[in-house]
Structures are given as C-alpha cells and as structure tokens.
Amino acid sequence: MAKEKKLVEEITSMDTDFAKWYTDIVLKAELVDYTSVKGCLVIRPAGYAIWENMKNEIDRRFKETGIENCYLPMFIPESLLQKEADHVEGFAPEVAWVTYGGMEKLDERLCVRPTSETLFCDYYSRVVKSYRDLPQLLNQWCSVVRWEKTTRPFLRSREFLWQEGHTVHATAKEAHDRTVQMLEVYADFFEKDLAIPVIRGIKTDKEKFAGAEATYTIEALMHDGKALQSGTSHYFGDGFAKAFNVTFTDKDNQIKPVFETSFGMTTRIIGAVIMVHGDNSGLKLPPHIAPVQVNIIPVAAHKEGVLDAANALYDRLKAAGIRVKLDDSEKSPGFKFAESEMRGIPLRIEIGPKDIENNQCVFVRRDTGEKSFVSLDNVESDAKECLENIQTNMYETALAHRDAHTYEARTMEEFKDIADNKPGFIKAMWCGERACEDKIKEVAGATSRCMPEAQEQISDVCVCCGKKAKKMVYWGKAY
C-alpha cells in the first residue's frame, strides 16, 4: 500500500498546478518521453496505441465519405511555398529549412513541411485535366514540423503527427459542402468516441487558416476552463487553384479553376482526452479508444485456482472482442489497482478465491469508482454493457462541466470579470470589427474561439463597442 500511495502522490493535484498535473500524467502513464531536441518527443507504446485507435476511427469515417489515403514528400521547395502569399506569410515564423544535402549547399532551400497545401496543389495541377478527374478526395497521415518557441507534450510540439485532407472540386458548392461535411466527421468522432462535447462554428477572419476563405472549427473545453481548438476544416475557394494553375476543362469546354478544401486533426487530441477526463489519480480513457478496455487483476493469485480462473476470464473476454489485459505480475494487488487507475483503463475486474466460490467477479469502473459483483455466467455481455455505460457517462460528465463553465456577458466590464474569475467559455455579441476583437484580447486576455452554427441573441449590441452586433461569438482563453 505504501507503493500504491507513492504512485498517486507522484501526480500533482490538478487544483494545485494544472500544468504540472498534466505533465506528470503524460510521463507517469508512459505516454511520452523527452529527447535531446526540444519539442520533439518519443511517443511511447502506451501513447501511440491511443493514437492508433483514434487514427483507425477517424480513417474509417473518412473512407466512408470517399476519401482515399496517399503520401506526399516532407520537403517543399521554397519557390513552391512562395506561390501563395497569405499562406507563406502565415507559416513563415514556424518553418524549418534544409539548406545542405550532405556536404553540399542546396541551390534552393527546402522547407520541412508545416502543412502540405502547396504540395497537393502542385500534384493536382498535373493530374487534374478534365471535369472527369474531379473530385479528388485525398488524405495523408504523416508528421509535420513547426518551430514552436514554447512546447508542451501533445499540445504544442515542434514535430507532431496528424492527418491532412486536401480535396478539389468542380464547383464552389461542392467544396463548401465537403468542408462542412468533414467538420461534422470530426465532431462525431469527438463526441461518440472521445466522449468530448464540442462547439461547432466558423473562425473569425483574424483566426482563420492562412490562405483560407473560411475556417470551420470544433472547440472543446478543458477541465481547467481553457479552450482547445480540436479540429479544423478549411474552404479555400479558388485562391490556391489560381496561384498554382490547378484548372480543368468543364463540360461546356471552358477552362476553369478548381475549388479546394483542407482539413486536419493532430496528436494534440490526446492532450484533449487527458485534460477533459483525467483526475488526480491519472488518466481516464473513453472505452472506445482505450488500448486496454478491461484489466483483470487476480487477488490472492498464489492460491489454488485463482490464476486459472483469471486466465479463463481473459480468454472469454478476448474472444468476445474486448481489448483485455491480465495483470499476473508479482506486484501487490493494491499497486496494480493504483496503476490501472493511473493508466486510465476503463474497467477493472478483480477475481479471488471467494469470488470463484460464488461464481462471480468484481467490476470497478474507472469513471465513477463504483464497485459491483457480477456473475461469471454473463460476464462478456455485462462487460460490454458496462463499457458503453462508462462511455456515455464520460460524455455526459464532460458536457455538464462545459455547460457549468459557459457564461454570458453583455458589457465589457462583465466580460472582463468573468474572464478574470470564472475560467470557461464566454458567449458575447460582436460587431464584426477586428478592432473590437483585438481590444477584447488586450483587455480580457480572451480570443474568439468561433461563431457557432446555433446563433443566440444575447443582446443587440457588441460587448466591446456598443454598436449593432452581427454575431454571437464564443470567447475564451485557449491552449
């Protein structure tokens, strides 16, 4: 029990220091390790297994909409990057450059991709000739490099994993519909698989992606009241097409530019899961994406029949399609319980001599800590039902937290008071002027998160300047 206590004590309380709590978890749960290059991390097997499950769920949804996977190079010639002025300006501060190949200086610098719009456009300019070649619906899973000054595991690193989809279409409507469709794919994944409620909306011009006509986003609220941009889908119009000469011959025999979209989601969503669901005992993983859904821990394993019963239980659950682990190590049961909680395994099953006598086992839920005795006769169906109940409860708990930390402000004084004293989302009206958006950030430290699909008329005037309001906006301090 001393070891069990020490294991939990090594995780800083989130109420004491949320940032330290977060770092303690990603290290103690063995999700990442640091390297000799700042901001570049080893994603350890426990962390990568979470990403693999996330990737599988997202990829399945993509393919259901007709997306195909491909792979493009990591290097972008400087001349290619320069073709779209707004785009290159937006990424210039974060670009890493290759200037030498071996011992020879390159004739032209190569950018290590921060994103791949330019590469996809260059590719599409060669393969798209006719309306018969459209639409092109491609995605790649890869890493990108952005030379961040301040880094944190998963949330902001210099190299990170992601997917980036890039599609081209014959009409603006098709491209816009695809943009909205992919945002909904992200929202569905977040809410159904990650058990995280999101706000769907559109970014202001100040916050939109460099080179985009419109950026759609899903925004999630972390446990500490900060927002996290969790997935974005961009409508580019024909701007990139004109810059890169991506044209096609339409049915009317006229040469026209394509209309383009882009959408991406990164390993920072692992950080979102930690910060939305975790507690002072460690991770809480939603069953849908947990690498291990059930952890079987034999109690009094040295006694006759206990390990045999635990192994039989393992075989049954595995055959039922449950991701299950049997911890038959020599660690004490108390340590195993604490470790299982710290790693966020959704359901712990304990089985000992008395349980075997009574043809039962003990279910312990990670989300609530609730214990229950369950007959071994129907353990497979009961475990599946319990996992789905955990998934649902985690979503409802996160939704209740978000709703309890979402506020309305009608004046700037009210806005600043909430921003200073009540971490969370702030709903307030906005006139649409960049000056007011900048002023709100200066005075209250909050940025616009999105203009939601579901607009509310909180008041008739802008919270900042008092002029006629155009949009209700979600504001907040963000990662």
Side-chain angles (χ1 to χ4, degrees):
M1 291 303 293
K3 287 184 178 179
E4 176 186 351
K5 187 176 180 182
K6 183 173 184 290
L7 187 74
V8 175
E9 281 181 349
E10 288 179 4
I11 300 174
T12 302
S13 168
M14 62 168 62
D15 295 327
T16 301
D17 186 337
F18 192 82
K20 184 67 167 57
W21 166 84
Y22 175 85
T23 303
D24 286 348
I25 284 182
V26 297
L27 294 176
K28 192 66 183 171
E30 298 181 345
L31 303 183
V32 303
D33 195 13
Y34 295 114
T35 71
S36 55
V37 179
K38 180 185 176 183
C40 296
L41 301 168
V42 175
I43 302 180
R44 301 181 69 176
Y48 198 79
I50 296 171
W51 176 243
E52 282 183 311
N53 288 343
M54 291 177 169
K55 177 181 174 182
N56 291 339
E57 289 299 329
I58 300 169
D59 198 62
R60 174 182 60 79
R61 286 174 168 84
F62 284 175
K63 287 172 179 171
E64 288 172 355
T65 74
I67 299 288
E68 295 180 293
N69 286 329
C70 65
Y71 186 81
L72 277 70
M74 69 164 60
F75 299 121
I76 306 172
E78 185 172 13
S79 57
L80 194 63
L81 193 67
Q82 295 285 350
K83 281 192 174 183
E84 216 290 332
D86 290 340
H87 183 68
V88 69
E89 183 180 351
F91 278 100
E94 299 174 349
V95 169
W97 294 100
V98 176
T99 57
Y100 276 80
M103 300 300 292
E104 296 182 9
K105 188 172 183 179
L106 301 178
D107 293 333
E108 180 181 13
R109 292 196 301 175
L110 297 176
C111 161
V112 183
R113 65 175 169 229
T115 180
S116 300
E117 277 72 19
T118 55
L119 288 172
F120 272 92
C121 285
D122 187 50
Y123 167 73
Y124 285 140
S125 71
R126 292 193 299 276
V127 300
V128 174
K129 303 299 179 186
S130 161
Y131 68 90
R132 297 182 183 89
D133 300 322
L134 296 171
Q136 294 273 335
L137 309 174
L138 298 181
N139 172 70
Q140 72 167 342
W141 294 92
C142 63
S143 68
V144 292
V145 172
R146 297 180 185 176
W147 216 252
E148 301 279 1
K149 292 181 179 179
T150 304
T151 62
R152 293 185 68 187
F154 294 123
L155 298 178
R156 196 166 292 277
S157 54
R158 288 181 174 174
E159 181 186 14
F160 54 88
L161 304 180
W162 76 345
Q163 58 71 211
E164 50 177 320
H166 299 268
T167 72
V168 288
H169 305 263
T171 68
K173 183 180 185 306
E174 285 180 23
H176 184 266
D177 288 349
R178 171 60 66 168
T179 305
V180 175
Q181 179 185 22
M182 299 318 292
L183 187 79
E184 191 55 40
V185 166
Y186 288 151
D188 184 72
F189 164 69
F190 251 68
E191 295 185 338
K192 290 184 179 175
D193 289 329
L194 302 189
I196 298 176
V198 294
I199 303 295
R200 302 155 171 84
I202 189 168
K203 289 286 189 182
T204 63
D205 285 346
K206 177 186 178 182
E207 297 291 334
K208 72 182 181 182
F209 183 78
E213 286 194 18
T215 289
Y216 292 79
T217 182
I218 54 171
E219 300 284 327
L221 191 68
M222 304 299 99
H223 192 83
D224 64 346
K226 287 187 179 180
L228 187 77
Q229 178 180 292
S230 302
T232 49
S233 186
H234 315 287
Y235 172 64
F236 288 136
D238 60 4
F240 276 93
K242 289 177 177 176
F244 288 85
N245 195 31
V246 188
T247 60
F248 69 102
T249 303
D250 206 352
K251 294 178 181 179
D252 58 9
N253 210 34
Q254 298 294 310
I255 295 177
K256 300 176 181 178
V258 299
F259 294 85
E260 188 174 355
T261 81
S262 176
F263 43 93
M265 184 173 281
T266 82
T267 39
R268 75 173 356 209
I269 62 178
I270 298 176
V273 169
I274 296 168
M275 292 193 292
V276 169
H277 299 305
D279 62 16
N280 288 331
S281 294
L283 287 172
K284 280 187 187 177
L285 295 177
H288 286 191
I289 55 92
V292 177
Q293 295 171 312
V294 174
N295 191 16
I296 300 171
I297 298 179
V299 179
H302 62 285
K303 293 193 175 181
E304 185 179 354
V306 173
L307 279 179
D308 289 340
N311 275 290
L313 186 55
Y314 171 87
D315 291 339
R316 289 174 61 184
L317 293 176
K318 184 177 181 181
I322 295 170
R323 296 190 291 275
V324 58
K325 172 189 174 184
L326 168 60
D327 189 347
D328 56 0
S329 67
E330 295 183 0
K331 301 169 186 173
S332 72
F335 186 90
K336 292 178 185 180
F337 297 161
E339 186 176 49
S340 187
E341 289 187 1
M342 183 268 295
R343 293 186 182 279
I345 298 172
L347 178 61
R348 184 173 86 236
I349 298 182
E350 303 167 10
I351 187 164
K354 289 185 179 179
D355 299 309
I356 296 168
E357 286 179 16
N358 295 318
N359 191 43
Q360 68 183 24
C361 60
V362 180
F363 278 17
V364 185
R365 291 174 54 152
R366 176 65 181 92
D367 61 328
T368 63
E370 177 187 353
K371 293 187 177 184
S372 58
F373 293 101
V374 176
S375 169
L376 292 175
D377 292 340
N378 302 306
V379 71
E380 297 96 335
S381 59
D382 287 344
K384 287 183 177 181
E385 182 181 1
C386 185
L387 289 170
E388 283 307 308
N389 288 339
I390 292 170
Q391 183 81 28
T392 299
N393 182 61
M394 289 181 72
Y395 176 81
E396 291 175 349
T397 300
L399 180 62
H401 178 269
R402 188 194 72 185
D403 290 348
H405 294 82
T406 300
Y407 310 95
E408 295 181 1
R410 289 167 178 77
T411 66
M412 200 60 221
E413 292 75 17
E414 188 178 12
F415 190 110
K416 188 176 186 310
D417 180 62
I418 294 171
D420 289 345
N421 301 299
K422 297 178 180 179
F425 283 132
I426 305 172
K427 298 191 290 187
M429 304 304 292
W430 178 52
C431 63
E433 294 297 324
R434 171 71 178 267
C436 284
E437 191 175 358
D438 291 341
K439 186 70 173 178
I440 288 171
K441 182 177 181 180
E442 177 189 338
V443 171
T447 56
S448 63
R449 304 317 308 153
C450 70
M451 297 174 283
E453 296 174 357
Q455 283 285 304
E456 301 172 43
Q457 194 71 18
I458 294 172
S459 73
D460 295 326
V461 298
C462 174
V463 71
C464 183
C465 68
K467 295 179 182 177
K468 185 177 179 180
K470 292 182 178 178
K471 290 284 185 180
M472 189 275 280
V473 178
Y474 276 83
W475 309 81
K477 296 176 181 179
Y479 285 97

